[in-house]
Amino acid sequence: MRALLLGGAGFIGLHLARRLTRDGHAVTIVDNFSRGRDDADLAALRDTPGVEIRNGDLTDPATWAALPHGWGQVHLLAAVVGVRNVESDPARVVRVNTLAALHLLDWIRPDEKLFFASTSEVYAGGVDLGLVPVPTAEDVPVVVADPTAPRFSYAISKLLGEAAVLHTARARGLTAVVGRFHNVYGPRMGADHVIPELSLRALRGEDPYRVYGMDQTRAFCHVDDAVEAVVRLMDTPAAAGGVVHIGNDAEETNIGDLAKLVLRVAEFDPRLDPVPAPPGAVARRCPDLSRLRALTGYEPVVSLEEGVRRTFAWYRDRWPR
């Protein structure tokens, strides 16, 4: 099978590329490296037989015109993400994420199966307003509580992408799956997400040690489990045409306990400094994975402690401080 990973030099993309090559598939990555990294991990993948890496801007029609067809799977993973990026340039978030999806839908052929990466942020507003339950299923109302809040530009862009993919798939006979990722973490995800940030501040010896939103809760999913879910969904015909949550509902934790776990792994014992959560951060997030289980038999296997240990070790050994 030939797989095209759009945004494949990024976090989930690289882990998915590794998995697909281990399974014997040929992989082509397209990335403009605005967020993806051309680092030692990507270099090792580049040397793997059957892997091709192309530099391309998915907002530019010329990039699509140069791409061949004949893919067994196409994964759209490219997006502008991260609270700092979203708050500093929300218009770019909407432009890049929307154009990439719309150009893809103009380009793709009906015999090329599509995976579209979305996010649990699409219903964060409903959780904040008390309109939807937690754990949260795929069929809850999606609500943008405050369209003037810059961070909601990401959720809006992904909602637009979901609608475009699902309705275009139905109209044109495409096979497409929308996967909503829930707090996926692991090695090589950058420094702007909670587990890497906690790890790096522990490695730097921060004392007092700031913990933002200690009482907020999340259900974190290690990237290896997330990749397993994607692989299974793409091999499950019944998943086509729907939205499916991807995450880990087994170990919901609050941020204070997560910080203590990171500090225990780091063997560092600073004084904790509780700090309010960033504006717009949802108080609780946990997926209902009933649909994913029913479709694929998926169960997460990487415990939070084991995942944090793997992630911490990578940042300790590979990330500049």
Side-chain angles (χ1 to χ4, degrees):
M1 189 267 291
R2 296 174 67 232
L4 177 64
L5 273 58
L6 304 166
F11 168 47
I12 294 175
L14 185 100
H15 288 271
L16 178 60
R18 284 173 172 166
R19 168 62 184 272
L20 292 174
T21 58
R22 287 199 302 267
D23 289 348
H25 304 304
V27 172
T28 294
I29 288 171
V30 178
D31 207 297
N32 70 350
F33 297 97
S34 61
R35 285 185 51 81
R37 304 173 64 229
D38 197 349
D39 56 6
D41 291 309
L42 189 66
L45 185 64
R46 183 185 281 113
D47 293 338
T48 303
V51 173
E52 178 188 5
I53 299 175
R54 295 180 173 218
N55 195 317
D57 179 357
L58 298 177
T59 69
D60 184 352
T63 297
W64 297 96
L67 280 178
H69 284 280
W71 308 100
Q73 296 181 5
V74 177
H75 296 257
L76 181 54
L77 303 161
V80 180
V81 302
V83 173
R84 289 182 179 88
N85 290 313
V86 170
E87 290 184 341
S88 65
D89 198 350
R92 175 172 173 256
V93 173
V94 175
R95 183 181 67 83
V96 171
N97 296 356
T98 301
L99 284 177
L102 296 181
H103 285 321
L104 166 62
L105 292 170
D106 287 339
W107 169 87
I108 197 168
R109 292 181 177 173
D111 59 345
E112 296 169 324
K113 187 183 299 184
L114 172 62
F115 177 86
F116 177 75
S118 189
T119 173
S120 57
E121 286 290 336
V122 300
Y123 55 73
V127 173
D128 277 343
L129 294 172
L131 300 177
V132 302
V134 181
T136 309
E138 292 87 348
D139 58 357
V140 301
V142 288
V143 177
V144 177
D146 179 7
T148 68
R151 68 177 291 149
F152 279 117
S153 61
Y154 177 59
I156 291 169
S157 74
K158 285 300 185 178
L159 275 175
L160 177 57
E162 286 190 13
V165 166
L166 293 173
H167 295 304
T168 301
R170 186 178 64 251
R172 292 179 48 200
L174 302 173
T175 300
V177 178
V178 172
R180 286 184 187 155
F181 289 112
H182 286 247
N183 291 100
V184 179
Y185 73 99
R188 200 182 172 274
M189 72 179 303
D192 293 334
H193 303 273
V194 59
I195 292 177
E197 184 183 1
L198 289 170
S199 298
L200 289 169
R201 288 197 282 108
L203 287 164
R204 293 172 188 140
E206 179 180 285
D207 190 0
Y209 183 83
R210 291 162 294 156
V211 183
Y212 295 88
M214 287 188 70
D215 293 333
Q216 293 193 336
T217 62
R218 298 288 185 270
F220 291 96
C221 177
H222 190 269
V223 66
D224 289 350
D225 284 334
V227 165
E228 176 66 23
V230 172
V231 169
R232 291 189 182 208
L233 284 170
M234 293 299 277
D235 288 339
T236 303
V243 176
V244 186
H245 286 168
I246 296 173
N248 182 339
D249 57 355
E251 292 184 274
E252 189 176 359
T253 185
N254 67 47
I255 301 302
D257 288 340
L258 175 68
K260 293 171 186 175
L261 171 58
V262 170
L263 292 172
R264 186 168 72 250
V265 170
E267 298 181 345
F268 180 49
D269 187 25
R271 178 174 68 82
L272 299 185
D273 179 18
V275 180
V282 66
R284 184 184 177 200
R285 180 179 292 126
C286 179
D288 181 333
L289 298 182
S290 299
R291 182 175 295 179
L292 178 61
R293 287 188 172 95
L295 285 167
T296 70
Y298 164 90
E299 288 292 342
V301 299
V302 181
S303 70
L304 182 60
E305 178 157 354
E306 174 61 23
V308 166
R309 288 187 181 279
R310 293 185 198 175
T311 304
F312 180 86
W314 190 92
Y315 280 89
R316 180 193 62 210
D317 299 338
R318 305 286 290 275
W319 195 267
R321 299 194 292 276

